[in-house]
Amino acid sequence: MSQLDSHIVFTVIPAYGHIRAVCILVARLVKENRNLVATVFIPPNYLDSSFLEVEAELGQSATDEAIRKRIRILSTFSASDGNLMDLSKPTAESYTSYYEALVQEKPILCPVKGTPFEAVLAPTLVIADFFAGTQFEATRKLTGHRVPIVAAITAHASSIIRLFGPESHGGIGDLSKMVEAEAERTGKKPEEVGDEVLQATSGKVVKIAGIPDMYDYEYFPQVLPFSGAIPFMTAANKILPACDGVVMASSYAFENESLQSMKSWFADWNKELFAVGPLLPAGYGFAKQSARGADEVEAFMEKALKEYGEKSISFGTIFWSTRPEFIEEVLEALLEKKFPFVFAYASPFANLPEELLQRVKASGLGLISKWTPQQYILSHPATGWFLSHCGHNSIMESLGCGVPLICWPFQADQPAAAAYLTEYLNVAIELIEVRTGEKGLKPLLRNGRVPKGTREAVGIEIREVIDLVRGAKGDELRRNAESFKIKFAEVWEENGISRKEAQALLEKFRLVKH
Ligand SMILES: *[C@@H]1O[C@H](CO)[C@@H](O)[C@H](O)[C@H]1NC(C)=O
């Protein structure tokens, strides 16, 4: 490994969407730059899937073992299981000693797999998830500005502007300061008042470049069964002004205007933004993806393809509604209209009546599963539609396969993304009647619609949407979605815009020579 002269360290939070994108980026950078070695710290429960992500990018045929040797994926602690909240703390706290060992050019060991990694040159760049506040601080403390830190963002640009950007660009302003002020005023702890401050709305119109204008409450179309985003938000509030650059998993081919606005915000802060997305495995959208051992799903997809034909299935993965009868109503409508479906409900809050589950099973029309291989399903010829909460990765994965969407957004970047997909890109239909709570039931700015908040209204809407997607409107949305399949492939081709951005990132931090 004598020609190695650059070492990138990646640190993430325990969120699969963020991890997936990072794995593809690592594999791609290392594959194409022989001077790079990468060390990737992954929470223990995502190690195996990370290996698979990297393999999906490298491809089965990649014979060059030297490439794999330069991608060093390991955990910094062991744990058998846990969710985002449980695993965030050990992920953050165990980082420091590993980073220190790398700085001292010492060998390291994965405590989960027992894999030893030999000593290599000290890190020359750290790419840290923009929510990884503790890792950011630990890195700065140990290596100051000698080792630059790039913040990695996996989300829609418009929402990053809203949540963390300056007010001049449509941002809410400095959330951390607002939370501190409210804590002071009420004598409560910042964690106690955080969600309230974040979700405070006044009916003001929010204007962000590249997406439709929306009332501020439209960013909260659903009552959430959980809270606790505040520690991540305040971490991002600290990292973004202090980092040395930003790498975005989004693409100019997807949301140019919002990204241009984001770029200008960071230019004001003297930082460059590199939009390298979408970060999907090589050949995605054209090659079938692996079912990753989900035999039942695979059998169902093949059977549906034979029985119902191409583009016949709707695939759904949504958060869990606080009105579960809305979800039941959607499933009832799919059964009634004989619309085959695969429905994933990974949410720990999910539960469906046994009687309905039995009826779905007996119908042969639907498969309901706790876990589904999303990229496999989206890349399958039987899949026609994606009912999605519209997180950034899901949208990239759907459009990357040319699959149009039915949107059921909940929080974070999802509501603005859904408005963008439906109003500007014309690749999706948004369900409006599924909205819940006081904010969710207020009128929409873009069309004045007021959701009724009843199961009956959900039933009428979903049946209309099913008819619509099976008609001329559906064809139109599909044609538009399919144009992204080509665009997303092009951005990473030679001279493609995302490839150039990745190259610019490496050059900026002197990881490759000009
Ligand atoms: C994005 O917008 C800028 C500024 O309007 C323009 O110069 C550029 O060509 C656009 N890029 C894409 C990929 O549409």
Side-chain angles (χ1 to χ4, degrees):
M1 291 207 196
S2 56
Q3 76 277 46
L4 289 183
D5 60 18
S6 297
H7 181 182
I8 311 182
V9 174
F10 288 83
T11 176
V12 297
I13 62 159
Y16 192 31
H18 296 213
I19 291 171
R20 280 200 113 148
V22 158
C23 287
I24 299 295
L25 181 62
V26 171
R28 203 162 283 172
L29 293 179
V30 170
K31 181 170 69 175
E32 297 182 1
N33 296 279
R34 296 170 57 90
N35 65 317
L36 290 186
V37 59
T39 304
V40 192
F41 297 130
I42 298 283
N45 55 332
Y46 290 115
L47 266 180
D48 289 329
S49 22
S50 298
F51 298 142
L52 291 175
E53 297 308 334
V54 168
E55 284 309 311
E57 167 63 17
L58 296 182
Q60 302 301 332
S61 62
T63 50
D64 193 350
E65 272 310 306
I67 294 174
R68 285 187 176 76
K69 233 180 142 180
R70 288 187 286 115
I71 303 174
R72 303 147 31 109
I73 299 179
L74 70 154
S75 284
T76 47
F77 67 104
S78 41
S80 52
D81 210 357
N83 61 26
L84 171 63
M85 296 304 167
D86 304 332
L87 293 179
S88 285
K89 206 169 165 205
T91 298
E93 286 173 353
S94 60
Y95 167 81
T96 313
S97 63
Y98 276 81
Y99 181 63
E100 194 166 17
L102 293 179
V103 170
Q104 293 168 356
E105 305 197 335
K106 286 185 180 159
I108 51 175
L109 182 79
C110 175
V112 178
K113 302 285 178 189
T115 319
F117 295 92
E118 60 192 69
V120 289
L121 76 158
T124 48
L125 177 70
V126 172
I127 298 187
D129 193 296
F130 75 127
F131 286 153
T134 306
Q135 292 99 307
F136 182 90
E137 279 168 19
T139 308
R140 272 283 191 264
K141 200 165 161 215
L142 270 169
T143 46
H145 285 270
R146 183 156 53 87
V147 178
I149 310 175
V150 169
I153 302 180
T154 312
H156 297 284
S158 53
S159 305
I160 296 299
I161 295 171
R162 177 68 188 145
L163 293 172
F164 307 108
E167 285 164 79
S168 57
H169 287 61
I172 50 177
D174 190 330
L175 181 69
S176 301
K177 276 214 187 97
M178 286 151 63
V179 171
E180 274 163 35
E182 182 64 7
E184 186 109 328
R185 194 183 70 80
T186 55
K188 290 186 185 165
K189 290 199 186 117
E191 309 86 86
E192 291 171 317
V193 297
D195 282 309
E196 226 169 279
V197 173
L198 171 63
Q199 297 185 16
T201 59
S202 62
K204 190 175 85 178
V205 174
V206 176
K207 290 178 181 292
I208 290 175
I211 61 165
D213 292 350
M214 304 205 299
Y215 291 119
D216 56 3
Y217 54 74
E218 287 186 73
Y219 284 78
F220 307 97
Q222 299 277 337
V223 175
L224 298 177
F226 54 84
S227 63
I230 291 299
F232 295 113
M233 311 272 299
T234 46
N237 272 151
K238 286 204 188 86
I239 293 178
L240 294 179
C243 67
D244 300 294
V246 174
V247 62
M248 271 294 278
S250 192
S251 171
Y252 293 111
F254 173 64
E255 47 172 354
N256 193 27
E257 247 191 275
S258 299
L259 274 171
Q260 297 291 344
S261 170
M262 207 173 151
K263 207 177 169 77
S264 87
W265 147 30
F266 280 107
D268 291 344
W269 286 5
N270 262 322
K271 293 178 216 309
E272 268 181 74
L273 174 136
F274 306 92
V276 301
L279 293 168
L280 299 164
Y284 186 82
F286 297 89
K288 215 162 153 180
Q289 301 295 308
S290 157
R292 303 203 172 170
D295 297 339
E296 198 190 2
V297 174
E298 199 167 1
F300 181 86
M301 297 300 292
E302 288 306 317
K303 183 170 142 282
L305 181 60
K306 278 205 201 89
E307 277 177 30
Y308 306 102
E310 292 199 352
K311 323 262 180 240
S312 59
I313 291 186
S314 73
F315 169 44
T317 64
I318 58 162
F319 280 28
W320 202 250
S321 176
T322 51
R323 305 277 308 267
E325 69 271 25
F326 289 0
I327 297 174
E328 290 167 34
E329 187 62 28
V330 168
L331 294 175
E332 294 286 1
L334 290 169
L335 286 177
E336 178 192 309
K337 297 227 169 233
K338 302 212 176 336
F339 199 141
F341 63 92
V342 173
F343 188 81
Y345 64 117
S347 167
F349 305 98
N351 92 65
L352 286 167
E354 194 51 37
E355 177 273 329
L356 177 58
L357 292 174
Q358 289 306 331
R359 249 188 312 128
V360 168
K361 204 162 181 189
S363 74
L365 266 178
L367 179 71
I368 298 183
S369 174
K370 278 265 176 202
W371 184 81
T372 52
Q374 181 159 311
Q375 293 185 350
Y376 163 79
I377 295 177
L378 289 170
S379 68
H380 196 284
T383 302
W385 292 88
F386 187 17
L387 170 67
S388 170
H389 47 77
C390 293
H392 182 73
N393 268 350
S394 290
I395 291 177
M396 295 293 109
E397 291 176 9
S398 196
L399 295 180
C401 285
V403 175
L405 298 104
I406 299 166
C407 312
W408 186 332
F410 278 71
Q411 58 157 4
D413 59 349
Q414 302 159 11
Y420 177 56
L421 294 175
T422 52
E423 302 298 315
Y424 284 11
L425 295 186
N426 203 20
V427 295
I429 298 181
E430 180 176 350
L431 298 175
I432 302 297
E433 297 297 342
V434 295
R435 294 184 180 206
T436 58
E438 189 217 327
K439 293 183 177 121
L441 299 184
K442 287 186 176 172
L444 279 67
L445 179 63
R446 72 191 93 130
N447 54 17
R449 250 179 95 175
V450 185
K452 295 192 182 63
T454 64
R455 175 171 181 158
E456 193 193 355
V458 171
I460 294 170
E461 179 179 48
I462 186 66
R463 285 169 180 81
E464 279 170 6
V465 167
I466 291 171
D467 292 342
L468 219 62
V469 303
R470 285 174 156 172
K473 177 74 176 174
D475 294 341
E476 182 191 335
L477 298 180
R478 182 177 312 287
R479 270 196 307 279
N480 294 337
E482 277 173 352
S483 74
F484 280 95
K485 181 169 151 173
I486 315 285
K487 283 183 208 159
F488 283 3
E490 280 172 356
V491 296
W492 268 98
E493 280 169 9
E494 187 137 7
N495 289 321
I497 186 154
S498 297
R499 175 176 297 275
K500 281 189 185 157
E501 291 270 306
Q503 193 61 25
L505 167 86
L506 294 178
E507 282 170 14
K508 160 90 187 179
F509 296 103
R510 299 177 199 289
L511 273 67
V512 293
K513 312 276 170 289
H514 277 276

